[in-house]
């Protein structure tokens, strides 16, 4: 049998086109190398080809086994958690909204329609991400960064485009997604070594400089999350030799700029009478006011005395009404549905984020490793900030989590993160890098 016929027969057994392309490339390289070895020993090209093909075994049996190994693995458990949390979030929001006085903005029916509509959009994004080829994102890393920077500059040059509240909300979620752009740029420019890290510092400074110029302290949670994740992503690249060069030099370029920026930011924003300074004092309980962050913290602490194991308390009458179903939904769940329900919600979200990061760090595909670590890291830090905020340690403006928080912008942003993660986990045995190793991936478990 000739090489072309063998590859065609083997390829017909592999159903997934992405896996088929990669596997056929691997098999062809192996046959060509074996042919050359036979030719070097004195065989004719035709005889060498036939012998190399014969050594590969039966193409139908080999293709069937490769199809079994290299096929998408539906992330059933994680997808099930996403469905259950989404339905639970809609139900809980509806119940909580219905417990309010009748002079609210929307009726129960209208609120339910909005909540379901937002979640349908979110699930559409999740499904698109799960069934898409995330590898193509690396080709558009610079274009995607341009979009991030363009949106960040929009409010600078056109301050009247959005209202103040719309601007800060949009900026918050734009910063929340930026680690994905950082991971893509880090991967697509990995051959340049320390120069890549320097360029990423410059690009990130431009982006966050534009954001902070018109949103002040409202976006500090995702900014701090980005600093942590950028160090983590760069560290992965350094330790796994994805970035060439001396480890000491690479670590210096990674950490030194942040040390300088931290010192400068501390001197500018942690002075008395500044926004973050006042937020820090109120979070630590060293001061409080009749409104604003101090009042919110006292309201949360007062209502925590009404928590019970299985709920039964009325919905909060002290917190901003429009935030009871988004920023402070967890607090409302503890009040109305009980401590047990609130702990289950936190545990499910934590499992989703932690297991996603576990899967990302085990990827042999380096883009999947970086992109998955960025997405799961954002979700994990977002959950941490959300829990702190709902228990009164609210240093910042807002917080949200996937599946539960009400609102279109937050739902879209979190769904992008979830969709990318499920796509990476689903395709861990399908999408590869040519230089990342053999065709067979050891991690074949399904979640």
């Amino acid at each position: 049998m000739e090489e072309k016929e063998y590859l065609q027969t083997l390829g017909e057994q592999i159903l997934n086109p992405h896996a088929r392309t990669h596997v056929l490339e691997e098999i062809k390289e192996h046959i060509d190398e074996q042919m050359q070895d036979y030719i070097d020993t004195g065989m004719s090209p035709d005889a060498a080809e036939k012998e190399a093909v014969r050594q590969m075994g039966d193409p139908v049996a080999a293709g069937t086994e490769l199809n079994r190994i290299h096929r998408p693995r539906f992330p059933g458990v994680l997808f099930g958690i996403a469905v259950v949390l989404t339905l639970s979030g809609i139900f809980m929001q509806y119940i909580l909204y219905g417990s309010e006085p009748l002079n609210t903005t929307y009726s129960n029916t209208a609120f339910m329609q909005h909540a379901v509509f937002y979640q349908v959009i979110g699930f559409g994004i999740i499904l698109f991400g799960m069934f898409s080829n995330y590898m193509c994102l690396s080709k558009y890393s610079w274009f995607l960064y341009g979009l991030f920077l363009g949106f960040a500059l929009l409010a600078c040059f056109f301050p009247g485009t959005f209202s103040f509240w719309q601007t800060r909300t949009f900026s918050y979620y734009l910063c929340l997604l930026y680690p994905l752009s950082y991971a893509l740029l880090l991967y697509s420019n990995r051959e340049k070594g320390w120069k890549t890290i320097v360029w990423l510092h410059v690009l990130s400074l431009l982006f966050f400089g534009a954001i902070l110029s018109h949103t002040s302290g409202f976006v500090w949670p995702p900014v701090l999350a980005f600093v942590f994740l950028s160090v983590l992503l760069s560290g992965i690249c350094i330790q796994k030799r994805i970035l060439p060069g001396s480890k000491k030099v690479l670590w210096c370029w990674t950490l030194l700029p942040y040390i300088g920026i931290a010192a400068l930011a501390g001197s500018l924003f942690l002075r008395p009478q500044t926004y973050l300074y006042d937020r820090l004092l109120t979070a630590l309980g060293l001061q409080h006011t009749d409104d604003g962050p101090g009042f919110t913290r006292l309201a949360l602490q007062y209502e925590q005395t009404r928590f019970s194991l299985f709920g039964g308390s009325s919905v909060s009458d002290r917190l901003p009404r429009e935030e009871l179903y988004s920023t402070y939904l967890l607090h409302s769940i503890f009040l109305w549905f009980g401590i047990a329900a609130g702990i289950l919600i936190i545990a499910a979200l934590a499992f989703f984020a932690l297991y996603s990061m576990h899967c990302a760090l085990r990827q042999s595909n380096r883009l999947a490793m970086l992109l998955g670590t960025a997405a799961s890291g954002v979700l994990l830090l977002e959950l941490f900030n959300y829990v702190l905020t709902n228990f009164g340690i609210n240093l910042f403006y807002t917080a949200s989590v996937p599946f539960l928080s009400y609102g279109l912008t937050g739902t879209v942003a979190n769904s992008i993160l979830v969709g990318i993660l499920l796509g990476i986990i689903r395709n861990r045995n399908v999408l590869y890098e040519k230089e990342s190793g053999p065709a067979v991936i050891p991690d074949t478990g399904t979640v």
Side-chain angles (χ1 to χ4, degrees):
M1 183 180 291
E2 295 182 351
E3 179 185 42
K4 183 177 180 180
E5 181 183 357
Y6 182 89
L7 293 175
Q8 181 178 351
T9 303
L10 187 145
E12 289 172 353
Q13 316 309 313
I14 303 174
L15 300 179
N16 187 275
H18 302 301
R20 185 190 309 126
T21 299
H22 174 80
V23 170
L24 291 181
E25 287 178 355
E26 291 275 340
I27 298 297
K28 186 179 186 305
E29 286 183 7
H30 185 76
I31 292 175
D32 291 344
E33 290 175 359
Q34 193 65 43
M35 280 176 55
Q36 189 59 49
D37 290 341
Y38 288 142
I39 291 173
D40 291 341
T41 62
M43 275 191 179
S44 66
D46 289 343
E49 179 181 0
K50 291 180 180 180
E51 180 60 22
V53 169
R54 189 189 68 79
Q55 291 283 344
M56 297 302 298
D58 179 55
V60 175
T64 301
E65 178 63 15
L66 288 169
N67 178 64
R68 184 189 66 80
I69 296 172
H70 302 294
R71 69 175 186 266
R73 306 278 179 170
F74 188 78
V77 173
L78 293 184
F79 188 78
I81 291 175
V83 172
V84 170
L85 285 177
T86 299
L87 295 177
S88 300
I90 293 173
F91 171 75
M92 290 176 174
Q93 290 173 16
Y94 179 73
I95 295 297
L96 292 169
Y97 196 89
S99 68
E100 285 201 69
L102 296 177
N103 60 346
T104 52
T105 305
Y106 301 110
S107 67
N108 283 20
T109 302
F111 179 83
M112 188 70 169
Q113 290 173 345
H114 280 79
V116 171
F117 177 66
Y118 296 156
Q119 293 299 339
V120 167
I121 293 175
F123 248 85
I125 294 172
I126 290 173
L127 292 174
F128 178 80
M130 185 167 62
F131 290 100
S132 297
N133 180 0
Y134 60 84
M135 291 294 291
C136 66
L137 292 175
S138 63
K139 301 177 183 178
Y140 306 102
S141 58
W142 285 103
F143 173 75
L144 292 173
Y145 172 79
L147 286 181
F148 274 92
L149 185 60
F151 283 127
L153 293 172
L154 185 62
C156 293
F157 293 104
F158 303 99
T161 305
F162 305 108
S163 69
F164 173 74
W165 304 105
Q166 289 173 328
T167 298
R168 74 177 190 174
T169 301
F170 181 76
S171 299
Y172 177 90
Y173 290 109
L174 193 66
C175 292
L176 202 67
L177 294 176
Y178 182 74
L180 300 179
S181 177
Y182 185 93
L184 289 170
L185 288 170
L186 186 59
Y187 171 80
S188 59
N189 297 277
R190 60 193 182 280
E191 297 88 356
K192 300 176 183 178
W194 65 269
K195 294 180 181 178
T196 297
I197 295 179
V198 173
W199 268 111
L200 286 176
H201 282 316
V202 173
L203 295 173
S204 300
L205 186 62
L206 287 174
F207 171 76
F208 285 108
I211 290 288
L212 293 173
S213 66
H214 57 79
T215 55
S216 184
F218 297 122
V219 295
W220 282 108
V223 171
L224 294 176
F226 164 74
V227 171
F228 175 82
L229 289 173
S230 66
V231 173
L232 175 62
L233 293 171
S234 298
I236 290 173
C237 290
I238 294 169
Q239 295 304 120
K240 292 184 176 293
R241 295 293 185 183
I242 298 174
L243 288 173
S246 167
K247 287 186 177 182
K248 291 182 179 179
V249 172
L250 291 170
W251 272 116
C252 285
W253 281 114
T254 298
L255 297 176
L256 285 178
Y258 285 133
I259 295 174
I261 291 173
L264 178 61
S267 65
L268 291 176
F269 297 112
L270 295 182
R271 295 175 298 171
Q273 309 304 317
T274 60
Y275 176 82
L276 286 181
Y277 182 83
D278 290 339
R279 280 279 191 178
L280 182 61
L281 290 183
T282 54
L284 295 175
L286 299 179
Q287 74 174 21
H288 68 273
T289 58
D290 293 332
D291 55 8
F295 173 80
T296 300
R297 178 176 176 274
L298 291 176
L300 288 167
Q301 290 180 340
Y302 171 77
E303 292 181 341
Q304 286 166 12
T305 61
R306 295 160 48 194
F307 288 174
S308 63
L309 185 60
F310 298 107
S313 298
S314 61
V315 70
S316 173
D317 56 1
R318 294 168 175 257
L319 297 173
R321 181 164 296 170
E322 67 277 5
E323 296 184 8
L324 292 177
Y325 325 104
S326 54
T327 303
Y328 300 111
L329 176 63
L330 183 62
H331 177 78
S332 299
I333 290 173
F334 270 87
L335 274 175
W336 189 273
F337 297 97
I339 297 172
I343 291 176
L344 283 175
I345 292 291
I346 295 173
L349 289 169
F351 175 82
F352 190 98
L354 287 169
Y355 188 81
S356 296
M357 178 168 283
H358 168 76
C359 291
L361 291 173
R362 294 185 64 185
Q363 294 288 323
S364 61
N365 183 318
R366 295 175 297 179
L367 175 59
M369 182 188 298
L370 296 176
L371 200 59
T373 301
S376 58
V378 169
L379 291 181
L380 194 58
L381 293 170
E382 198 177 11
L383 175 61
F384 179 73
N385 181 45
Y386 189 72
V387 172
L388 290 182
T389 298
N390 276 267
F391 281 89
I393 310 176
N394 53 331
L395 289 173
F396 310 106
Y397 152 65
T398 190
S400 70
V401 286
F403 317 122
L404 297 175
S405 300
Y406 179 82
L408 180 59
T409 307
T411 300
V412 169
N414 284 308
S415 297
I416 291 173
L417 296 169
V418 172
I420 287 175
L421 282 171
L422 293 183
I424 288 172
I425 295 171
R426 176 178 178 268
N427 291 297
R428 62 187 176 275
N429 296 329
V430 176
L431 300 175
Y432 314 94
E433 290 178 295
K434 184 177 179 180
E435 66 268 35
S436 64
V440 179
I441 303 290
D443 179 16
T444 57
T446 302
V447 172

